[in-house]
Amino acid sequence: MKWTLRLWLVTLGIILIWIYFLFISPKIFNNHIITIPNVVNLSEEQAIEELNKNKIKYQITYIENEEEVTLKTVPYAGTNIKSDYVISLYVGKIMPAAYKSYLGRVYENIADEIELMCNNHGLNLKIEYEENENTISGVIIRESLVDGSILNQGDELCLTISTNHSSYMLPDFVGMSIDDALSLIQEYNIKVNLTYIPTPVDEDIIIFQSTPPSTLIQKNNPYALDLYISKGVKPTTVIDADLFVEVIHNLGYEMEINYVNSNDLENKLVAFEVQKLYDSNIVKYILWITK
């Protein structure tokens, strides 16, 4: 019985010693305190060398940056940590630039932007032209680089630009004088119907067109474009109020209506005043209408 008890005691002692050296002793003697050094603005190699010298464990996270240097550590430099703690090391990286597609854009409008991009990344720009009846002249219809592809110095960017002598993009005539609009219409050789209506807009200014701007139109098209032109009105002009109110509403202007008594005129505009708030880009019409 005594031998059995001694055997159990010896076995228990061995187990306790094993637990001590395996789990307790390392935490007491090896887990000492370390101060994180300042590695900000060092290269990645220099920062790693400094951390290894101080026996600090780390994990690296790369962040897009203009310079390839160490940006920060978490925890920050000067913080005391235990030797088994893993800090985060944030390193800046210059990420490769990617190509952004110019398809469908008018080359003339973005020529400076494309030239700057090519100069910054060392690309060779080549321009080709191709007849295309499905779009207007000057539009980029094909490019040699794929959208999102990495830009490498020495790459060639070939842009194919459309030419089209049989069609055009319809301009925005609203706000133009009828004389200026007619000179363009004559150049495109399309038919036009003109309708004059009294409005608070200046005389001979186009206020509406039947076909929206940027519509692709074939030259010599038999289609007739309807243009509505302002006849203008004088503040003392007596006209039908409903037409006047409808025009102002369609133009998106603000209105304030004041009704005045009249013995023989009903629902007639007898005067109006225009208020232009330029700071907020608001135009407001104050109307006086008979009742």
Side-chain angles (χ1 to χ4, degrees):
M1 187 68 180
K2 292 181 179 180
W3 285 102
T4 305
L5 180 60
R6 288 178 182 177
L7 181 60
W8 276 107
L9 289 175
V10 171
T11 303
L12 179 61
I14 294 174
I15 293 174
L16 291 175
I17 293 172
W18 180 75
I19 292 174
Y20 173 79
F21 281 102
L22 191 62
F23 297 102
I24 299 175
S25 177
K27 294 184 177 295
I28 295 175
F29 297 103
N30 297 330
N31 197 21
H32 58 280
I33 301 301
I34 307 174
T35 302
I36 300 176
N38 184 9
V39 295
V40 174
N41 291 327
L42 297 182
S43 67
E44 180 181 349
E45 294 76 13
Q46 291 172 330
I48 290 174
E49 181 181 355
E50 185 69 21
L51 294 177
N52 288 336
K53 184 173 67 175
N54 288 272
K55 297 181 179 180
I56 296 177
K57 299 177 181 179
Y58 58 88
Q59 62 179 8
I60 299 178
T61 300
Y62 294 104
I63 301 176
E64 185 174 359
N65 192 55
E66 295 179 354
E67 296 182 75
E68 294 191 346
V69 295
T70 302
L71 302 176
K72 64 178 180 178
T73 58
V74 177
Y76 295 109
T79 304
N80 293 327
I81 60 172
K82 294 182 179 180
S83 60
D84 62 345
Y85 187 85
V86 180
I87 72 169
S88 295
L89 180 66
Y90 291 88
V91 179
K93 277 287 186 182
I94 301 175
M95 301 300 181
Y99 179 71
K100 295 182 180 179
S101 175
Y102 294 103
L103 286 177
R105 301 179 66 180
V106 178
Y107 175 74
E108 183 179 351
N109 296 340
I110 55 174
D112 292 340
E113 177 185 338
I114 293 176
E115 183 178 357
L116 179 62
M117 184 267 297
C118 291
N119 291 336
N120 289 341
H121 300 289
L123 303 182
N124 299 316
L125 180 62
K126 180 180 179 181
I127 302 296
E128 296 180 347
Y129 294 89
E130 180 180 300
E131 184 71 20
N132 190 309
E133 297 183 357
N134 297 320
T135 186
I136 61 171
S137 296
V139 173
I140 299 173
I141 57 176
R142 193 162 54 253
E143 54 194 358
S144 59
L145 295 181
V146 179
D147 186 35
S149 60
I150 302 301
L151 297 178
N152 298 305
Q153 188 167 357
D155 285 351
E156 181 181 82
L157 172 60
C158 180
L159 300 177
T160 303
I161 301 174
S162 67
T163 58
N164 190 339
H165 300 91
S166 62
S167 62
Y168 60 91
M169 198 75 79
L170 190 69
D172 186 358
F173 292 114
V174 175
M176 295 177 59
S177 71
I178 184 60
D179 292 336
D180 293 340
L182 288 177
S183 63
L184 284 176
I185 291 170
Q186 184 177 7
E187 177 184 343
Y188 296 145
N189 196 20
I190 58 174
K191 298 179 180 179
V192 62
N193 297 324
L194 305 181
T195 302
Y196 287 84
I197 58 175
T199 76
V201 180
D202 292 339
E203 189 175 357
D204 292 332
I205 298 297
I206 298 172
I207 60 173
F208 179 78
Q209 64 187 74
S210 58
T211 301
S214 301
T215 301
L216 190 65
I217 302 295
Q218 296 294 325
K219 290 184 178 180
N220 302 316
N221 194 314
Y223 170 81
L225 175 67
D226 295 324
L227 296 178
Y228 291 81
I229 303 104
S230 172
K231 290 174 62 176
V233 292
K234 298 179 180 179
T236 56
T237 303
V238 178
I239 63 174
D240 183 80
D242 291 337
L243 176 60
F244 199 92
V245 169
E246 181 181 358
V247 170
I248 295 177
H249 177 74
N250 291 337
L251 292 174
Y253 299 143
E254 293 188 1
M255 276 185 295
E256 176 185 322
I257 299 178
N258 300 299
Y259 291 97
V260 295
N261 294 321
S262 175
N263 293 329
D264 56 350
L265 294 174
E266 182 179 355
N267 197 37
K268 298 295 181 181
L269 178 71
V270 294
F272 70 89
E273 177 184 343
V274 182
Q275 292 182 349
K276 297 182 180 180
L277 307 179
Y278 292 102
D279 292 341
S280 55
N281 198 27
I282 294 176
V283 177
K284 180 179 181 180
Y285 283 84
I286 303 176
L287 313 180
W288 282 267
I289 299 174
T290 60
K291 64 177 181 179

